[in-house]
Amino acid sequence: MSGAPRSTHQQVRAGLKRRHAAERRFRAMGIGAVLLALLALAGLFASVITQGYGAFVQTRITLNLYLDPEVLDPSGMRDPEELRRANTNAVIRESLRQRFPDITGRSDLRKLYALVSTGATFELADHLVTHPDWIGRTIDIDLLAAAEIDMLHKGRISRDVPEDQRRVSDQQIAWVDALAAEGRVAFAFNTTFFTSGDSRDPESAGILGAVVGSALLLLVTLVLAFPIGAAAAVYLEEFAPKNRWTNLIEVNINNLAAVPSIVFGLLGLAVYLNFLGLPRSAPLVGGMVLALMTLPTIIIAARASLAGVPPSIRQAALGVGASPIQTVFHHVFPLALPGILTGTIIGMSRALGESAPLLMIGMVAFVVDVPTGFTDPATALPIQVYLWSDAPERAFVERTAAATVVLLGFLIAMNGLAVFLRKRFEVRW
Amino acid sequence: MQFSILLAVLVAFAGLGFLWGRARAAAVASASGRRLHSRARHHGMLVAAWTGGPGIVVLLLWAVVQARLGGAGEGMSAAAAWAGIAVPLAVAIVGLTWGVRRITPQLRARNQFETVLRNLLLLASAVAVVTTAGIVLSLLLESIRFFSLVPLHEFLFGLHWSPQIAIREDQVASSGAFGAVPVFAGTLLISLIAMLVAAPVGLLSAIWMSEYAAPNVRATVKPILEILAGVPTVVYGFFAATTLAPALRDLGSFFGLGVSSESALAAGVVMGVMIIPFVSSLSDDVFRAVPDSMRYGSMALGATKAETVQRVVLPAALPGVMGGLMLAISRAIGETMIVVMAAGLAANLTANPFAAVTTVTVQIVTLLTGDQEFDSAKTLAAFGLGLVLFFVTLALNVLALEVVRRYREAYE
């Protein structure tokens, strides 16, 4: 030691300040890390919600339409089939021309017509079918605005940007402002988003097709994965002898749980599509792939739940003469069921958010129709998010985020249900 | 459609078999005046199993054969179509009558039915093994076809990856377009960036949660952090592609750096956030498994809490922590949607985090979406990449589980 001899006490004392500072630093780093992670989570949700909430409302333009019987129903029969095909476009264009009579140039007119979505013609046709008595009258009807006008009205297209850098011309802005001054441009709840399938036009695109596709997928997944998973767990936990075969199965299940999901997609492509010849893009095949993927999750959760049932239950049942199968199916399994269901719901919520394996089996197609069966071409909610996120239109960004909000909503609901089940039926032995 | 109707009919037959078997057993018992060995209900179940089981097996086999041979079934003769309906039904009816006829008071119906049930359970647990075998087989078979077109060493060590060119010029593998090194390097770069985010944040969070936080705080914070792992990866991808990547690009141009809008950095950082819970939850469990006596010993010698954690708890928990990190790496390597949406397509061999790189999963997706010709090296290359991906992640997992298991044993 150097210089004057110091007692241990003095040495420790001298270093205490520094060491306590280090302690505080270390602790602050820990809190900082947790806060950083929480901040990332909050940022993710905030970003998605701020980008997406706008898509739940949609700009609509109220036009004063003369529903000319000559144009809409030349036969005068008011036949729904014919009304559905009526030339509503002409009526809408005529109304726009009437409102802005000083516009004559061809290209100017085209810009004027572009204020209203092409989807508006179908809306009007639907109105005619439900209200055939409107024909011949002049009536105010609100129609779907084009996506660009919607973006403008929501302030997502800035008016300060030079005209050649935005998708709405100064002229169009002037027309919209004129209509808005009369109170003819307004927001309404975006029902289209929830009631229609995909579309090339952002304003007509909806998530119903994707939601139905996801529901069909999950149904197939549930029907396959729950019974197989529960049965496998029952076997492994209650009946399996401790031998190499059982050991192999256990190692297998643990490893399958960590296999990248895209590999399951490759399996589906090679086996289901190429070997078994099942149809591409079908919820049936998607569900079969997702079932294999969620199986390990369900088995692991179910085994934990079965293992939690105390041995005294089994001994009591066996003691009064039940066979091993009866013991399990009459007593142990029902008691473990809440835990198994919780695990299943968590597995299902993972399947709902999964998209990579579905890309492999062709569920990335542009599907307009809402699927009606297990072999119809379909997409799923996360796939819809993926597809829309690729689209260049500004309005699709908003819809992508909105679809994400819906997806997150479903996931929160499912996980909430799982937590509720656990809390409600959890038995402490 | 025909398949589901037939399936429903067979299930209905099995139900009928149950009712008939039960009634028959009761009748046999009262006619012979002897007690049944098993309840009438068990006889019913056994008959139902004999009716439905073989019929459904035949139906499934038939459906597979039909799909393999006929595709949509236009080429099939009417006779074959009728056989597809008649054979399963006939098998079911034979099973039904045979099952009913063998009912006697002595028949140990319950035991036999329980044997059937037990075998079904065994079968269900074998699905996991079959799945693994299916993955290995399908990846291997397609990869072998790929490696007959492109030599293995060229795939593993080649420095040039451009699968699209090979198709256009119709001269597979002669140009060396299937050298996967840039793809592997891109995967590693993005995984490295992800781990640089996830490892410190995850580990420090775990230390704070296990050593400092009050139990109730920990009980709230841990599940909230785990939400990060439950968010669909497509959401992360969307966030990376539309929010983080443009922000990084603008930030980069502010500092005069050329940051690609599909930079490895954006994808890596977002992926890192996603795997934080894998690191934090696993490490938290590992830290809590370190016996308190070790902490008490350290503190009794006058160490501060931080010193105890750094010099006693962390070294003791190191194997477990390493296991957790390895699982996280394997997760990062296999992650698909984030990189598909936020990383690039071009295979650049670079270590620059601001440049666009591609990954194994991105290449698999690009090669396999859209039109496929199953004989082209381009499509088969995806299976080659898949094989590498599968074995690398498998090795990491096996190793990680082994390390964690050894470590657990050390303290139990």
Side-chain angles (χ1 to χ4, degrees), chain B residues 181-206:
Chain B
V181 169
V183 181
F184 297 149
T187 310
L188 290 182
L189 178 62
I190 289 185
S191 305
L192 182 73
I193 296 170
M195 290 314 291
L196 285 180
V197 172
V201 175
L203 271 180
L204 285 169
S205 307

Side-chain angles (χ1 to χ4, degrees), chain B residues 26-229:
Chain B
V28 164
S30 60
S32 64
R34 296 179 56 178
R35 278 190 56 190
L36 292 169
H37 166 271
S38 305
R39 295 280 184 90
R41 195 154 48 87
H42 298 127
H43 284 280
M45 287 183 201
L46 188 61
V47 174
W50 276 114
T51 314
I56 289 172
V57 168
V58 170
L59 178 67
L60 283 175
L61 284 179
W62 187 263
V64 169
V65 169
Q66 202 179 4
R68 288 285 292 142
L69 295 181
E74 300 104 33
M76 268 209 317
S77 65
W82 276 110
I85 299 174
V87 172
L89 290 183
V91 168
I93 290 170
V94 168
L96 177 65
T97 44
W98 188 70
V100 169
R101 286 180 61 124
R102 61 196 280 270
I103 292 176
T104 59
Q106 299 92 326
L107 181 71
R108 299 164 71 86
R110 179 174 59 73
N111 307 47
Q112 289 187 7
F113 181 70
E114 287 182 353
T115 311
V116 170
L117 213 55
R118 232 174 136 123
N119 286 325
L120 279 180
L121 295 180
L122 175 63
L123 213 62
S125 70
V127 169
V129 179
V130 174
T131 306
T132 310
I135 289 174
V136 173
L137 269 183
S138 57
L139 290 180
L140 262 183
L141 289 179
E142 304 289 352
S143 299
I144 287 170
R145 287 172 65 193
F146 173 64
F147 291 126
S148 68
L149 296 172
V150 178
L152 179 63
H153 61 87
E154 197 176 310
F155 175 73
L156 286 181
F157 303 113
L159 297 181
H160 186 59
W161 176 269
S162 54
Q164 306 296 340
I165 293 168
I167 266 204
R168 214 180 309 127
E169 298 182 350
D170 201 31
Q171 42 170 343
V172 171
S174 59
S175 61
F178 287 98
V181 169
V183 181
F184 297 149
T187 310
L188 290 182
L189 178 62
I190 289 185
S191 305
L192 182 73
I193 296 170
M195 290 314 291
L196 285 180
V197 172
V201 175
L203 271 180
L204 285 169
S205 307
I207 288 173
W208 185 76
M209 283 194 295
S210 67
E211 309 293 327
Y212 288 99
N216 57 341
V217 176
R218 182 180 170 276
T220 9
V221 171
K222 199 175 178 184
I224 293 178
L225 282 189
E226 279 168 3
I227 295 178
L228 282 173

Side-chain angles (χ1 to χ4, degrees), chain A residues 54-396:
Chain A
F56 294 112
V57 291
Q58 169 73 38
T59 309
R60 302 187 73 84
I61 300 179
T62 310
L63 288 180
N64 192 258
L65 298 168
Y66 170 53
L67 300 175
D68 190 349
E70 295 294 308
V71 178
L72 294 175
D73 192 21
S75 70
M77 303 290 286
R78 303 286 189 270
D79 174 28
E81 280 306 304
E82 253 174 66
L83 288 179
R84 213 168 272 289
R85 287 194 305 270
N87 188 5
T88 49
N89 206 11
V91 170
I92 295 171
R93 290 182 171 192
E94 179 57 31
S95 158
L96 281 166
R97 274 199 302 273
Q98 295 278 321
R99 176 61 190 74
F100 298 100
D102 45 330
I103 296 162
T104 47
R106 217 169 213 281
S107 68
D108 285 351
L109 276 176
R110 199 177 305 134
K111 279 186 194 160
L112 178 64
Y113 298 153
L115 294 185
V116 176
S117 161
T118 44
T121 57
F122 302 109
E123 279 189 347
L124 186 54
D126 284 344
H127 279 310
L128 293 181
V129 172
T130 41
H131 306 283
D133 52 306
W134 287 2
I135 294 173
R137 285 159 58 182
T138 302
I139 210 167
D140 269 352
I141 297 178
D142 61 315
L143 296 168
L144 198 59
E148 285 81 25
I149 304 305
D150 182 41
M151 288 291 105
L152 177 77
H153 196 52
K154 283 171 180 163
R156 302 253 175 188
I157 291 181
S158 169
R159 290 160 187 252
D160 305 330
V161 174
E163 188 179 7
D164 54 349
Q165 284 176 29
R166 57 175 136 79
R167 299 182 61 129
V168 186
S169 69
D170 287 342
Q171 240 179 332
Q172 285 178 312
I173 292 182
W175 294 330
V176 172
D177 287 345
L179 286 169
E182 296 170 32
R184 287 182 173 273
V185 182
F187 287 127
F189 182 69
N190 189 356
T191 42
T192 319
F193 187 67
F194 296 97
T195 54
S196 59
D198 199 2
S199 168
R200 297 275 183 222
D201 299 323
E203 70 273 16
S204 310
I207 54 168
L208 184 65
V211 170
V212 172
S214 271
L216 292 172
L217 270 175
L218 283 196
L219 196 64
V220 175
T221 310
L222 182 69
V223 163
L224 288 173
F226 177 66
I228 297 180
V234 165
Y235 180 77
L236 291 173
E237 202 58 41
E238 305 289 333
F239 297 109
K242 289 271 164 279
N243 59 21
R244 273 165 62 196
W245 172 242
T246 322
N247 200 25
L248 176 75
I249 293 177
E250 281 182 27
V251 170
N252 240 302
I253 290 169
N254 285 333
N255 284 329
L256 269 187
V259 167
S261 59
I262 192 168
V263 172
F264 285 98
L266 288 173
L267 172 75
L269 174 62
V271 174
Y272 294 151
L273 297 191
N274 290 338
F275 184 72
L276 294 182
L278 292 168
R280 276 173 73 83
S281 312
L284 176 70
V285 181
M288 283 161 74
V289 170
L290 292 181
L292 291 183
M293 206 192 76
T294 45
L295 209 51
T297 315
I298 296 180
I299 294 178
I300 291 169
R303 286 192 65 175
S305 181
L306 286 165
V309 177
S312 57
I313 303 274
R314 295 182 187 84
Q315 287 154 5
L318 292 171
V320 295
S323 73
I325 290 265
Q326 286 171 329
T327 304
V328 169
F329 281 92
H330 296 178
H331 303 284
V332 180
F333 188 75
L335 287 171
L337 195 58
I340 298 176
L341 285 179
T342 309
T344 308
I345 294 171
I346 288 169
M348 288 296 118
S349 79
R350 213 172 280 173
L352 175 61
E354 194 56 69
S355 28
L358 302 180
L359 298 181
M360 298 289 94
I361 53 156
M363 291 191 84
V364 274
F366 172 68
V367 181
V368 176
D369 298 323
V370 175
T372 53
F374 291 106
T375 49
D376 284 359
T379 55
L381 208 40
I383 301 279
Q384 193 69 72
V385 170
Y386 168 64
L387 284 172
W388 281 352
S389 73
D390 243 10
E393 288 95 341
R394 187 72 188 76
F396 265 126

Side-chain angles (χ1 to χ4, degrees), chain B residues 231-246:
Chain B
V231 172
T233 52
V234 71
V235 179
Y236 284 108
F238 174 65
F239 178 76
T242 61
T243 307
L244 190 63

